[in-house]
Amino acid sequence: MNARRLRHLFSRALRTSLATPLVLAGCGSDAVDLEGYAPIACDDNVPAVSDLTLSPQPDYLQLRLLESYQEPPSFDGTATSGTACATASDVPACQEALAATLPEEGFHHSCFQLCADYFLATTRGDEVKTYSTLEALKGLLGTIDTAQEATLVAFAAGYQMSCGELERGAVKQNAEGTFNVIGTRGYSCGEGTQVTQHVLEVSASGEVRELEQHVVEKGTGACGVGRRPVGLQVAGACESPDALGRYFAEVAHLEAASIHAFLRLRKELALHGAGPDLQAAALASAVDEVLHADVTGRLARRFGATPPSPTVTELPERPLAEVARDNAVEGCVRETYGALVAHHQALHARDTGVREAMARIAEDETRHAGLSWDIDRWVRPRLSAQERDALREAQRRAVALLREEVAAPLDAGLVTEAGLPTPKVALALLDTLEQELWG
């Protein structure tokens, strides 16, 4: 099956999916009554710093991600308010001091293999300051009298805040002057993981008290879709400051793992007598994956996560029937669906950088999926009837598992910013592929 035919099929599948409303994905939990709650104000996917009643008022505030895992350590600016060094007597000196400001620790500590923290930087006149602990931030804010101040305190205390889903990021003011803030902790990437919703009360003095908590999402055994190499070891916890970082770190991890998958595939194709065209296509796919790992790794780091390097156990080359089953599952099912999702992201991602990256990746992955079907067509006549039956059953189970995976709820930011299909849309896309390819 050539890539052109797959593109035509993908185009029809995407047109069909447009009939399904692209609503924001949530968990459907009724644990907390959200009446009276409002979405948190965000800037660059973190709580905004524009509605803080400070005295004296700084000229400039910026929430910064402390990247202490890099050498040398650095920071990435996120939410910003005001103009840096606006009233400084020596603007260049002030700007230089601001750029060099880098504390050794931060608040909202989170880890994904490596760890990152946040801190707040301010300027007022010639003075440059940083606030890198929860207590220092509370000292800057003084009395907590706005919803955004309460949200920022809860964020600094280590709770994650969704910028588009009330169940995972919301705030309301109470009659006695306190604020209730909804945030989450945890992640859903791997068996035994879970996301827990926390309902917090933030007092006027900045004390954070947990009122209740509920599990809103449980992790599954897989965090992404694509061709995985045999021998791939489970990576560490997929935790990062937000869902976008978590998602792209896992994608980058799998893209890097796919390099191993295609290099191994080339060797095994040669072992079993496949033609030079299939071998060359497998090698070219490995080269594509090097670029994909780099591009998605950059996106992950932009959203505050660091992808773990894949660990792949070296295993003996396999019999032809095992290679065929692996290709049927990882290529004809998972990689084919992954290519279709990449096209969906290229069309629907609100984030320009994501959209442009996925447009390139979608074309490459469509060729990779086409290669999987070419290999499938080459290998089936070389299998026994019993081996072909086993291959069909493996593919059927792979489709069923994929249906379970895509039915899981998504963070709203993954739908809007990354362009991922909602569970309802994803199942509609799978329906089209199953009718045309896997039936």
Side-chain angles (χ1 to χ4, degrees):
M1 180 181 298
N2 60 36
R4 180 177 298 180
R5 182 183 168 192
L6 278 177
R7 287 191 199 97
H8 180 70
L9 173 58
F10 290 168
S11 179
R12 286 196 289 111
L14 291 168
R15 283 199 301 271
T16 301
S17 77
L18 291 178
T20 305
L22 294 174
V23 297
L24 294 181
C27 294
S29 170
D30 297 322
V32 176
D33 182 1
L34 297 173
E35 184 176 356
Y37 281 92
I40 65 171
C42 282
D43 182 5
D44 200 14
N45 293 301
V46 293
V49 294
S50 55
D51 186 26
L52 309 181
T53 55
L54 308 181
S55 181
Q57 184 69 32
D59 301 322
Y60 173 82
L61 301 93
Q62 186 177 60
L63 187 61
R64 294 178 166 184
L65 174 63
L66 176 62
E67 298 172 332
S68 56
Y69 49 81
Q70 296 192 5
E71 187 58 44
S74 62
F75 69 84
D76 184 24
T78 54
T80 304
S81 177
T83 303
C85 304
T87 61
S89 60
D90 187 342
V91 173
C94 174
Q95 292 176 336
E96 183 178 351
L98 181 63
T101 297
L102 199 66
E104 294 183 356
E105 61 177 349
F107 48 70
H108 190 80
H109 180 74
S110 59
C111 292
F112 181 83
Q113 294 294 302
L114 300 171
C115 298
D117 305 79
Y118 286 81
F119 67 98
L120 193 68
T122 68
T123 70
R124 181 173 179 272
D126 293 313
E127 185 179 55
V128 175
K129 284 189 173 183
T130 62
Y131 303 84
S132 57
T133 67
L134 175 59
E135 291 306 313
L137 177 65
K138 287 160 58 175
L140 170 69
L141 296 175
T143 302
I144 307 301
D145 51 13
T146 71
Q148 199 52 37
E149 290 176 354
T151 299
L152 188 59
V153 168
F155 176 80
Y159 296 91
Q160 298 180 31
M161 304 289 165
S162 169
C163 294
E165 186 181 355
L166 286 181
E167 282 189 336
R168 304 191 185 204
V171 61
K172 73 173 181 179
Q173 186 167 12
N174 301 316
E176 66 274 19
T178 62
F179 291 86
N180 277 15
V181 179
I182 293 177
T184 63
R185 278 182 168 167
Y187 53 91
S188 57
C189 183
E191 298 292 349
T193 62
Q194 63 185 31
V195 176
T196 305
Q197 176 198 66
H198 296 262
V199 182
L200 313 168
E201 181 186 72
V202 181
S203 70
S205 63
E207 298 305 311
V208 178
R209 182 167 68 95
E210 287 196 4
L211 302 179
E212 51 186 298
Q213 59 178 268
H214 310 273
V215 175
V216 293
E217 184 178 350
K218 291 191 175 182
T220 62
C223 304
V225 174
R227 182 181 281 264
R228 300 163 300 189
V230 62
L232 178 63
Q233 302 300 300
V234 176
C238 296
E239 189 173 8
S240 72
D242 63 28
L244 285 164
R246 212 161 48 240
Y247 168 73
F248 281 110
E250 177 62 21
V251 171
H253 171 73
L254 290 177
E255 296 284 12
S258 292
I259 301 170
H260 297 266
F262 280 113
L263 291 176
R264 180 185 180 90
L265 179 62
R266 183 199 182 199
K267 287 183 180 180
E268 292 181 325
L269 287 172
L271 174 68
H272 295 295
D277 53 340
L278 293 180
Q279 296 181 46
L283 179 58
S285 298
V287 174
D288 289 338
E289 299 293 8
V290 174
L291 175 63
H292 298 178
D294 178 67
V295 170
T296 54
R298 289 175 184 272
L299 287 172
R301 286 184 284 275
R302 178 183 150 205
F303 292 115
T306 300
S309 298
T311 300
V312 181
T313 302
E314 197 67 39
L315 297 173
E317 292 171 339
R318 299 165 293 175
L320 183 61
E322 289 186 26
V323 175
R325 284 198 299 273
D326 185 63
N327 180 71
V329 170
E330 296 299 323
C332 297
V333 175
R334 297 185 67 87
E335 193 162 40
T336 299
Y337 175 71
L340 175 54
V341 169
H343 282 284
H344 188 281
Q345 292 179 268
L347 289 172
H348 294 290
R350 187 165 65 186
D351 186 284
T352 303
V354 173
R355 197 166 58 248
E356 291 176 351
M358 298 317 297
R360 167 64 187 273
I361 290 173
E363 283 301 308
D364 292 344
E365 294 296 348
T366 301
R367 290 198 309 275
H368 300 176
L371 170 62
S372 300
W373 288 97
D374 289 341
I375 293 171
D376 186 74
R377 185 174 62 249
W378 169 79
V379 77
R380 280 182 185 259
R382 292 165 170 78
L383 302 177
S384 68
Q386 186 177 9
E387 288 169 337
R388 289 195 293 270
D389 288 343
L391 187 150
R392 282 190 290 271
E393 176 60 21
Q395 196 169 63
R396 186 196 65 76
R397 290 197 303 268
V399 173
L401 177 59
L402 191 54
R403 283 189 173 278
E404 293 179 11
E405 291 179 13
V406 304
L410 294 175
D411 182 275
L414 297 181
V415 176
T416 56
E417 301 302 317
L420 285 175
T422 65
K424 188 173 183 179
V425 172
L427 290 171
L429 295 176
L430 278 175
D431 285 342
T432 301
L433 293 184
E434 187 159 25
Q435 291 166 12
E436 297 288 339
L437 297 175
W438 305 323

